[in-house]
Amino acid sequence: MGILEIKNVGKRFGGLQALGDVNLSVAENTVHAIIGPNGAGKSTLLNCLVGKLIPDTGSVTFQGQSLLGRSPHEINQMGVSRVFQTPEIFADLTVFENVMIPCFAHRDGSFKLNGISAIRGQNDIKEMAEAILMDVNMIDKRDMTASSMSRGDKRRLEMAMCLVQEPKLLLLDEPTAGMARADTNNTIDLLKEIKEKRDITMAIIEHDMHVVFSMAERITVLAQGTPLVEDTPENIKGHPKVREAYLGEAQV
Ligand SMILES: Nc1ncnc2c1ncn2[C@@H]1O[C@H](COP(=O)(O)OP(=O)(O)OP(=O)(O)O)[C@@H](O)[C@H]1O
Ligand SMILES: [Mg+2]
């Protein structure tokens, strides 16, 4: 059994069946990529895992425990963190303050944004945030305002905000979207290092096949809300169903 088990998950938006009947198992300590064309239902699936959407049908379990019916905060506390497709950072706070936010919420569960001055005194939290910033190579940017950073740095900050929650499962929705190639390669190296160092299982949604084939150990291809094929990267490369799903757009 995988660390994450998705069984018969369906989700409808009005007349649109965004997810049909999704079955997916993510093995512990692996990187599992979910690929597919725009609108395939990839983000919807992740939203169903973290309490942002409630699936109409099916079950989702993490380490044998259901994630359905739980609040996003509870799911976080169980060890599941997510980097969203659209960065959710606090633009006017510094890098360091951003990283301390989930850190504090994780430990105490009572964080309020207007209490930022209160958390500045928490030494253990500071140390934790500093260690994470070292891991993502952002310690030299700790006092920069989040809004002033490049897109790539914002994504790395988001990853840091997830890592302070000490996740066992990290869900990444297009972590390299909009990045220049050099930034993308840095992100690949960074995620690989983090995975080794912290024993984190990763489920990653990506359009960039360079990222997918550099990182993934298993790949699920989703099209129109249904998994078409799940296999190793070697077998996915050149798979006729994958070409069909992408209408020739993917470089696989
Ligand atoms: N909250 C919503 N209300 C209505 N329709 C939605 C909602 N969220 C997503 N959809 C629709 O569901 C389908 C799947 O969307 P989703 O965002 O999951 O696709 P995706 O695979 O993540 O695409 P992309 O690669 O472009 O990010 C799309 O047709 C989208 O327009
Ligand atoms: Mg998406």
Side-chain angles (χ1 to χ4, degrees):
M1 200 176 81
I3 191 169
L4 177 73
E5 291 285 339
I6 299 168
K7 294 218 167 82
N8 307 111
V9 164
K11 180 68 187 174
R12 177 175 279 278
F13 296 117
L16 176 79
Q17 191 75 46
L19 296 175
D21 184 22
V22 178
N23 287 284
L24 204 155
S25 174
V26 176
E28 190 159 9
N29 281 330
T30 59
V31 177
H32 193 124
I34 301 165
I35 64 171
N38 293 115
K42 304 178 298 295
S43 296
T44 300
L45 183 61
L46 286 205
N47 285 337
C48 288
L49 307 182
V50 296
K52 203 167 177 188
L53 286 172
I54 303 167
D56 303 325
T57 56
S59 65
V60 180
T61 56
F62 171 67
Q63 294 187 313
Q65 287 188 287
S66 177
L67 293 181
L68 302 186
R70 294 183 192 269
S71 70
H73 182 64
E74 246 182 303
I75 293 169
N76 247 202
Q77 298 272 323
M78 286 170 74
V80 181
S81 292
R82 171 184 177 170
V83 176
F84 284 91
Q85 191 163 354
T86 313
E88 300 202 353
I89 54 177
F90 296 88
D92 293 336
L93 301 186
T94 66
V95 166
F96 192 60
E97 287 165 344
N98 266 276
V99 176
M100 282 201 292
I101 289 170
C103 197
F104 190 79
H106 180 58
R107 287 280 178 86
D108 178 88
S110 61
F111 175 75
K112 292 191 199 76
L113 183 59
N114 61 13
I116 191 81
S117 58
I119 68 173
R120 286 193 173 123
Q122 309 268 334
N123 279 333
D124 58 333
I125 288 175
K126 276 185 179 170
E127 278 166 25
M128 200 168 158
E130 271 166 7
I132 297 291
L133 284 177
M134 302 259 241
D135 274 6
V136 299
N137 300 324
M138 289 191 86
I139 195 72
D140 55 330
K141 296 183 177 156
R142 54 174 284 161
D143 296 323
M144 279 175 69
T145 305
S147 59
S148 69
M149 293 193 307
S150 69
R151 192 161 175 178
D153 278 348
K154 281 181 186 154
R155 295 303 270 174
R156 283 199 297 159
L157 173 56
E158 272 201 300
M159 283 172 212
M161 291 170 77
C162 284
L163 292 170
V164 287
Q165 297 163 34
E166 299 177 323
K168 297 182 197 101
L169 174 65
L170 183 59
L171 307 170
L172 298 140
D173 198 342
E174 301 194 30
T176 67
M179 282 187 192
R181 181 54 85 202
D183 248 351
T184 297
N185 285 334
N186 287 340
T187 304
I188 293 171
D189 292 344
L190 181 68
L191 286 172
K192 282 182 175 172
E193 268 172 44
I194 287 168
K195 179 176 174 282
E196 285 305 306
K197 188 169 169 189
R198 297 177 178 266
D199 284 333
I200 298 176
T201 306
M202 296 183 182
I204 176 167
I205 292 175
E206 254 303 341
H207 282 288
D208 184 338
M209 292 301 135
H210 169 63
V211 179
V212 172
F213 288 108
S214 303
M215 291 193 63
E217 289 148 275
R218 295 292 291 181
I219 300 176
T220 296
V221 184
L222 203 64
Q224 296 178 328
T226 309
L228 273 183
V229 51
E230 194 214 300
D231 217 322
T232 58
E234 296 72 43
N235 291 341
I236 289 285
K237 268 186 198 171
H239 196 293
K241 279 190 174 172
V242 181
R243 292 193 177 280
E244 194 183 301
Y246 276 95
L247 299 170
E249 90 185 37
Q251 307 295 306
V252 291

